[in-house]
Every structure is written in C-alpha cells, then in structure tokens.
Amino acid sequence: MKVTLVGAGPGSIGLLTVKGLETLQRADVVLYDRFVSGDILAVIPDSAEMINVGKYAGNHPVPQNVINNLLLEKARQGKNVVRLKGGDPFVFARGGEELEFLSENNIPFEVVPGVTSAVAAAAYAGIPLTHRDCASSFHVITAHAKNNEALNINFDALVKLDGTLIFLMGVSVIDIICERCINAGMDKDMPAAIVENAAVNSQRKFLGTITALPEIVRANNVKSPAVIIIGKVCQFSTRCDWFGQKYLPLRGKRVVVTRVKHGMSELIDNLRELGCYVVEIPCLRIAPLTGSGSALEKSLKNIKGYSWLIFTSCAGVNVFFDYLIDTCIDIRELSGVRIACVGAGTEKELNKRGITVDYVPAEYNGAALAHGLAELVKDGERALILRAKDGDKELTRLLIDAGIDFDDVPVYEKVKDTAVVSIDADAIADNKFDFAAFTSPSAVECFAEVAVCANFSEIKAVCIGEKTAAAAMSYGMDVYVSTDATAESMVEKIKELSA
Ligand code: SAH
C-alpha cells in the first residue's frame, strides 16, 4: 500500500521519467489530471482503475478534498495508488497538500519528479534559461491568484533580480504581468516569449517584447496551457530554435491514427519525429486465440508435419512465440521448419528471435507471398499459416490454386476496445486534423465508431493497402494508398500530400 505522486512531464511520453513509467506500469489505481497525454495513459495496465480527477463538472475541477479522500480510500484498500500530475508534482500542483494529508493519515508515500513545463517550454522554444552573459537566475511564478484575487506578486523584487522570469497560468493576465514589469522599472523593450502547448508537436511559440506580447497573444488567440518567459535570454530563441517548422517537415500537421492499445507503433513514432501532431485512438486490442483447445494448440502437436511456417504480421509472431514460452515448447521443436513472412516489420520481429527468414517477397502483400511460395514449396510439403482471424482470403485462394497444402490457423484477432481512456475528442469531432492514417480495415471501423460526428467526406485517409482503402471508401472518405504496405511508405505519402 502506497501513494506515489508521479510527474508526467509537459506532454507526450518521451518526457516521462523511466521511474515514472515503471511506477505507472505497477499501478492498481491511477488518479490523473487534465493535461496528462493519451500516450502516457496508454501504458497503464488494463487492470488498473483509472480516475480522471481533472474533469470539470460545470466549470469546476474535482475539489481537492474529494481527491484527498479518494487517495486515502484506495490506499487503505491496500492498493498501489498513483497520483499522476502534469509537469512536476511539486510545481503549482498541490502535491505538498496531498502529501500533508497522507502523512496525517499515516499512508506511506513517494514522489517521482517530472519535467516541469517551466523548463520544458524554454528548451523547446530554444530559450536557454540562464546564460553567462545575461541571466544568472531564473524564477518560476504562478500568475494564478488564490480565490481569483488580484495578483499578489512582488514585481519590484522580481525585476531587481534581473534574471529570467517564467510565468505559469498567465495567459489571461498577460497584460497585467507585462504592465507591472514595466511599472517596476523593466526595460519596455525587454524580450519576451509565450509558448503554447510546449514540448508537443502542436506547440506554438510567439516572440516579442513585454510591450508587444499581450497584443501578439490576442491576435493569435493563444490559449492555456502556455508559459510566458520574460528576459534577455529570449533573444536567443530564433538562433537556438530546433523545434520549428523548418527543421521538421510535418510540423503543424495533425494526423489521427487508430492503433493497437499497448502496442508499439512505428507509424506514430515516425510521424512524431517529423513534427506531426498525432491524435491517437488506442481502441484496438490484440486478443490471442491460444487458449486450450485452440487451433494453434492442435497444429503444434503435429509441428513436425509442417515444412513451412508463414507469418503475415508482427502481432502473429509475438502471439506465437509468447505461446511457445507460456506452454514450455522448446524452440528447437521448430528446427528444420522453413519460415516465410510478409513485411519488413514482421521479418524484424522474427530476426529478434534469432530466426533468419527463408523467404520474404519484395512486395508486401499476400499475393506476392503466395506466388513466391508456389516456387519454393515442394510436393508433399505442408505449410502452417499463423495469422489474424479473418485474414486476407487472397493468400489462401492463391495457395490453393498453386496446389500447396496448408493449414490456416488464426492465432489472434483484433478486437475493439471501447474503454478508450483519453482521446482528443474535440479534434476528431470537428475534423481538426489533416489526415487520418489507417493500417487495417478494423482501424477504419474503430475510427468510424469513435468519430461518429466527423464529416467523413472531408477526411483525407491514407491507407496501407487496398483492403484498408476499400473500408475507408465505404465511409466516403477521400482515400490515398501508400506505395508499399509499410509505415515508412505511409509517412512518405503524407509528406507528398503535404508538400
Ligand atoms: N505542475 C505543472 C504546472 C501546473 S500549473 C508543471 O510542473 O508544469 C498549470 C500551468 O502549467 C498551465 O497554466 C501552464 O502555464 C503550464 N503548463 C503545463 N503544461 C504545459 C504545456 N505543455 N505547455 C505550456 N504550458 C504548460
């Protein structure tokens, strides 16, 4: 029994600490805040209870005493409780109050610090917070007054410090902040910056002086969450920029990706690396079909009866090898069996397990695989196809045509997981994205279910293959098919369409 305060960092999972990740993966209950991103929530095990305490009822967040009592109640049930907060839990996040309360109630606790948005915003805006020539300190200030009273900040003292000033929760009072800095004697041309959605690919940064910044903020409709940075160091922002449009070809683009929950996604990683803002819909789940009495169990009893194993996806490889481990089947049972697969990703997954694949067609589709196998499989040899339920019928049809004997064994199915914990529902409902990227027909189905209000005919759907394209077309989407059935090829298509 313990409560751990975990700092989630300012945005996506990359800036969560390793300890924070490990703590989340062991959680029984997670109470999370408003600004915690979906990819962080997605690493929390399905078995954990998720409580969104950042939800606004009317216009009010869940009251602190309700949160405290929930922490207490869950901890007293003997659970591993995680209190997950944006940024760092001790920076304007009431972490101290929660710990005081837990301490009074003799509940053990721990704190995992997080990257505060104050520091992350500067890093992602190319603003060094200190600099030997012009800033020997930095100061983080809340612009949110308790009970909405007037700002109680000693601007005279702050301005005298001559360091870098960082204001959190300040968008709505930026006029007052800048004006009070000037009144306290700060140069009216002091460089200043505002960073909205810092450290995520939807980040926007605006530079100016303390005189000009309030108007810039209004003109560009800058919204919370944003960090205001005031000081000479802001002059370096243009020169030290590395997160701007010109360095990241897909910066400013928003792409919706329906993906497998808890699964890795090369597509998402690649898109993010190029600066895309990815709206993830983690609503598919791989459900192994490997229980007792399964087709896989039966076929493995006679593994020596097969000359070829055929994999068509990474998930198929993972489920198959997990099954061997779980049921203590020695990998040497596979000796002598030849292995074929479709796709570079699937091949990589097999390579990781020490297997050099005997045949991978140059083209990533079932038809190419069938044609290749027709040349390779000898008379009297039998193949075992280990793939998803309801797999592509063309592969089996062509194998039959080629006179190849095989068993088609479903080892998993992709099922819809309706317990989607967090999605950027507004972005989806309002079609506030440039592309939707689909890697399977079931991904299209899931999207259509979540995005009930979307206007499908306006959606540019980038699809991995013809089957997926057909599914997207059935909803009337504007469909584009990647040249190859790979994540890289899909990214290339998105780049091409964005150019
Ligand atoms: N504990 C948090 C701060 C919570 S107060 C931390 O350490 O970052 C909430 C304020 O944090 C917001 O009003 C905004 O000023 C800032 N903030 C949080 N996430 C942000 C982000 N991704 N980009 C810009 N500002 C952010």
Side-chain angles (χ1 to χ4, degrees):
M1 164 185 85
K2 190 172 17 177
V3 175
T4 311
L5 251 60
V6 174
S12 50
I13 193 160
L15 294 179
L16 174 70
T17 65
V18 174
K19 186 161 185 191
L21 175 68
E22 286 167 0
T23 308
L24 283 175
Q25 286 169 334
R26 285 196 306 267
D28 299 316
V29 185
V30 180
L31 285 83
Y32 62 98
D33 275 345
R34 215 155 52 110
F35 291 128
V36 177
S37 72
D39 56 356
I40 293 181
L41 297 178
V43 303
I44 298 168
D46 283 336
S47 55
E49 183 185 357
M50 306 279 292
I51 306 174
N52 179 353
V53 292
K55 232 182 225 163
Y56 274 54
N59 228 347
H60 302 287
V62 175
Q64 190 62 46
N65 66 327
V66 175
I67 297 177
N68 287 356
N69 286 328
L70 271 169
L71 291 173
L72 188 61
E73 179 194 321
K74 299 293 173 187
R76 283 192 172 149
Q77 289 167 6
K79 300 201 166 139
N80 262 332
V81 184
V82 172
R83 174 73 178 102
L84 184 62
K85 293 165 179 285
D88 180 86
F90 279 178
V91 177
F92 308 131
R94 306 183 76 168
E97 291 166 52
E98 288 173 14
L99 291 196
E100 263 180 283
F101 176 81
L102 293 170
S103 159
E104 276 162 23
N105 287 282
N106 296 318
I107 302 291
F109 52 77
E110 199 179 325
V111 182
V112 180
V115 177
T116 175
S117 59
V119 168
Y124 277 73
I127 299 172
L129 287 177
T130 64
H131 193 289
R132 282 205 299 178
D133 296 337
C134 57
S136 55
S137 63
F138 66 86
H139 312 275
V140 184
I141 306 129
T142 171
H144 179 76
K146 213 169 173 184
N147 306 325
N148 292 326
E149 289 157 12
L151 283 189
N152 183 18
I153 299 169
N154 187 340
F155 279 90
D156 292 329
L158 281 178
V159 170
K160 274 207 192 86
L161 289 166
D162 203 25
T164 305
L165 305 182
I166 307 165
F167 290 90
L168 268 55
M169 295 178 267
V171 183
S172 60
V173 287
I174 188 159
D175 295 83
I176 303 175
I177 293 172
C178 292
E179 191 189 304
R180 301 255 322 251
C181 283
I182 295 170
N183 291 346
M186 190 182 271
D187 180 353
K188 65 180 187 0
D189 292 327
M190 179 64 80
I194 189 157
V195 193
E196 178 191 73
N197 289 324
V200 284
N201 283 343
S202 54
Q203 172 177 310
R204 293 196 301 163
K205 168 182 88 175
F206 299 96
L207 302 173
T209 60
I210 46 170
T211 307
L213 200 61
E215 190 45 44
I216 295 173
V217 164
R218 255 188 305 280
N220 291 285
N221 196 19
V222 176
K223 294 233 165 69
S224 172
V227 169
I228 299 161
I229 306 176
I230 297 176
K232 297 181 198 111
V233 288
C234 293
Q235 69 186 303
F236 298 105
S237 184
T238 307
R239 216 183 316 152
C240 299
D241 190 22
W242 57 274
F243 195 59
Q245 196 114 34
K246 51 178 185 198
Y247 310 98
L248 300 161
L250 290 179
R251 213 31 181 100
K253 297 287 169 210
R254 299 167 73 99
V255 180
V256 175
V257 180
T258 311
R259 70 181 195 97
V260 173
K261 207 171 163 189
H262 304 310
M264 312 276 275
S265 174
E266 198 185 342
L267 176 62
I268 292 176
D269 292 347
N270 291 355
L271 287 170
R272 287 219 169 107
E273 217 156 276
L274 296 174
C276 242
Y277 177 69
V278 180
V279 182
E280 290 180 58
I281 312 183
C283 63
L284 289 172
R285 190 162 54 81
I286 300 290
L289 299 170
T290 53
S292 112
S294 64
L296 179 64
E297 186 187 72
K298 286 182 198 138
S299 53
L300 280 182
K301 287 207 173 107
N302 180 30
I303 188 73
K304 295 288 177 213
Y306 297 102
S307 308
W308 286 87
L309 293 188
I310 298 170
F311 294 96
T312 62
S313 65
C314 297
V317 175
N318 289 332
V319 171
F320 177 74
F321 283 93
D322 284 352
Y323 179 79
L324 293 190
I325 292 167
D326 291 346
T327 54
C328 301
I329 296 178
D330 194 300
I331 193 152
R332 286 167 293 186
E333 294 285 323
L334 303 181
S335 70
V337 179
R338 293 211 274 166
I339 293 182
C341 75
V342 188
T346 317
E347 184 180 14
K348 224 188 267 171
E349 213 54 56
L350 286 158
N351 292 157
K352 272 199 242 163
R353 291 168 171 86
I355 292 171
T356 309
V357 180
D358 296 284
Y359 177 63
V360 193
E363 265 184 72
Y364 298 136
N365 60 53
L369 178 69
H371 289 308
L373 287 172
E375 303 291 316
L376 292 165
V377 180
K378 301 194 188 84
D379 274 354
E381 288 188 337
R382 196 172 177 78
L384 176 60
I385 308 175
L386 300 156
R387 61 175 182 162
K389 189 176 166 189
D390 300 326
D392 179 5
K393 296 262 183 319
E394 199 176 5
L395 171 65
T396 41
R397 187 179 59 75
L398 291 169
L399 290 178
I400 293 169
D401 287 353
I404 295 175
D405 265 344
F406 63 86
D407 287 321
D408 184 11
V409 168
V411 292
Y412 70 94
E413 61 183 330
K414 271 190 192 167
V415 293
K416 283 182 203 151
D417 192 335
T418 42
V420 176
V421 284
S422 155
I423 54 165
D424 191 345
D426 293 344
I428 294 167
D430 304 345
N431 274 15
K432 275 196 216 137
F433 53 89
D434 301 284
F435 301 100
F438 297 120
T439 53
S440 67
S442 49
V444 178
E445 302 297 332
C446 268
F447 171 80
E449 213 163 279
V450 175
V452 268
C453 352
N455 184 353
F456 291 127
S457 66
E458 283 175 14
I459 294 174
K460 287 199 178 85
V462 175
C463 298
I464 198 161
E466 295 303 335
K467 298 256 154 33
T468 308
M473 267 176 220
S474 74
Y475 288 95
M477 297 181 200
D478 183 11
V479 173
Y480 302 85
V481 185
S482 59
T483 313
D484 294 319
T486 61
E488 286 109 50
S489 185
M490 290 180 80
V491 173
E492 278 311 312
K493 181 59 77 184
I494 290 172
K495 268 164 81 179
E496 185 189 310
L497 292 166
S498 306

